[in-house]
Amino acid sequence: MVPVGGTIGILGGGQLGRMLADAGAKLGFDVIIYCPETDTPAARTAARHWAGAFDDRDALTAFAGACDAVTLEWENVPVTAIETIAATGTPMRPGAKALAVAQDRADEKTFLEHCGIPVTPWRPVDSAADLRAALADFGGRGILKTRRDGYDGKGQLRLGEGAEIGSALDALGGGPAILEAFAPFEREISALVVRGADGAETVWDTPENTHRGGILRRSAVPADVSAATAANAISAARKLASALDYVGVLALEFFVMADGKLLANEFAPRVHNSGHWT
C-alpha cells in the first residue's frame, strides 16, 4: 500500500491519466506522469511530468525509482515498459500478463474463452483466404478488426455480402486481423471490478453504455438489465481478474442479447471511461 504523501507514477498522459492525477492529489498523493509527449492532458494536472520514450530503459528505471508504485492509463503501453519497471522492484499494477493479453484481440478472445466467458464468434485472419473462409462461416458478413493497436473504433471495418477481400485487408494495413460475426445485441454493458494484491475484490454497479462512431458517449447506471444478467457480468469480470492475477481496476465489456445472454467484447486493463461516474 502506498502511504499518504507517497508518489504514484502513471504511464500515459491522456484524459484518464488526468482524472487519476486529480483524484490522487485529492487523496494526498503526488502523481507523476511518464509519456513521450511534452504537452498532454495529464501532464497539465500532475505534480510532475516525466518525458521519455516507452522503450528507454534507463529513463523508465529512473522513473520507477521516483515512485512508490506505478500504474497505467492506456493499454497500448509496450509490455516491455511494464517489465522494465517491474524488474526494478517498484510495484507495477496491473502486470505484464494482463497487458499482453489485452493488446492482441486473438489472444484476448482465446483467454476469455479459456476462462469460460462466452465471446462473439470469431476467426483469425492472416490472409485473403482466411478472410474469405471466415466470411463464409458467418454468412458473408462480419466486422474485420486488427489484432493490435485498435481502440475507440479504430482498426475496424464492417463487411457485408460481396465485400472486396483485398481492399478490406489493405484498408486495415494488411496485418494480422480477426473477423467477428455480427452480434444482434440489444444493449452494451460493462462490469467494473477492482482487485487488491491480497485478492480482495469489490465492484461497482453495472453501467449501460451508448457508443457512437466507436466511441463511448454515455453510460447510464444502473443498466436496464435483469438482476441475473448484471450478476453474471460481475461474476465473469471477477473470474477474469482472478485468472489474470490482476491488481487494480478492470472493465469487461459485454453485448447483451435479447434473451439476456452475455457475449464478452473486450476488457480494459485500466480505469475505464464507463467508470468515470465512480
Side-chain angles (χ1 to χ4, degrees):
M1 180 180 294
V2 179
V4 174
T7 300
I8 298 173
I10 298 176
L11 301 178
Q15 58 158 331
L16 296 175
R18 181 178 179 124
M19 297 177 76
L20 281 171
D22 182 57
K26 291 176 180 177
L27 292 171
F29 300 104
D30 285 335
V31 177
I32 59 177
I33 301 297
Y34 184 103
C35 61
E37 301 82 9
T38 57
D39 182 25
T40 67
R44 293 195 287 273
T45 59
R48 182 181 175 189
H49 173 222
W50 198 301
F54 285 128
D55 61 356
D56 188 333
R57 296 178 62 88
D58 291 339
L60 286 166
T61 298
F63 173 74
C67 301
D68 293 299
V70 179
T71 188
L72 52 88
E73 61 96 51
W74 186 51
E75 63 263 50
N76 285 322
V77 172
V79 172
T80 53
I82 306 302
E83 293 171 337
T84 296
I85 289 176
T88 69
T90 298
M92 176 72 232
R93 305 288 189 262
K97 180 178 180 179
L99 204 65
V101 172
Q103 286 180 354
D104 186 302
R105 293 186 193 277
D107 291 345
E108 180 182 38
K109 300 286 188 187
T110 300
F111 193 88
L112 288 167
E113 289 174 323
H114 285 172
C115 290
I117 301 172
V119 300
T120 307
W122 67 282
R123 299 287 187 273
V125 173
D126 294 315
S127 66
D130 288 343
L131 180 54
R132 192 172 293 108
L135 282 168
D137 286 345
F138 298 150
R141 304 188 307 152
I143 302 178
L144 184 65
K145 299 181 178 182
T146 56
R147 283 183 59 162
R148 303 183 67 87
D149 299 326
Y151 64 98
D152 285 349
K154 300 178 178 66
Q156 302 185 20
L157 189 64
R158 294 174 66 91
L159 301 181
E161 293 186 28
E164 211 294 310
I165 302 296
S167 61
L169 291 171
D170 290 343
L172 294 187
I178 67 170
L179 186 76
E180 290 183 0
F182 281 127
F185 59 90
E186 287 197 334
R187 53 183 46 86
E188 296 177 72
I189 65 173
S190 52
L192 306 169
V193 61
V194 59
R195 185 173 187 272
D198 60 355
E201 296 172 344
T202 192
V203 299
W204 289 277
D205 288 339
T206 300
E208 180 172 336
N209 305 317
T210 302
H211 293 79
R212 289 198 300 273
I215 297 176
L216 178 64
R217 298 296 184 181
R218 182 174 184 266
S219 290
V221 182
D224 184 17
V225 296
S226 70
T229 296
N232 288 340
I234 292 297
S235 176
R238 288 181 184 271
K239 186 184 298 185
L240 175 62
S242 178
L244 291 168
D245 194 21
Y246 195 88
V247 178
V249 176
L250 178 146
L252 178 56
E253 296 180 312
F254 297 94
F255 299 127
V256 184
M257 312 306 283
D259 61 359
K261 179 182 178 181
L262 294 171
L263 295 177
N265 179 29
E266 61 186 11
F267 75 90
R270 54 168 172 79
V271 293
H272 191 253
N273 296 29
S274 66
H276 280 349
W277 58 276
T278 66

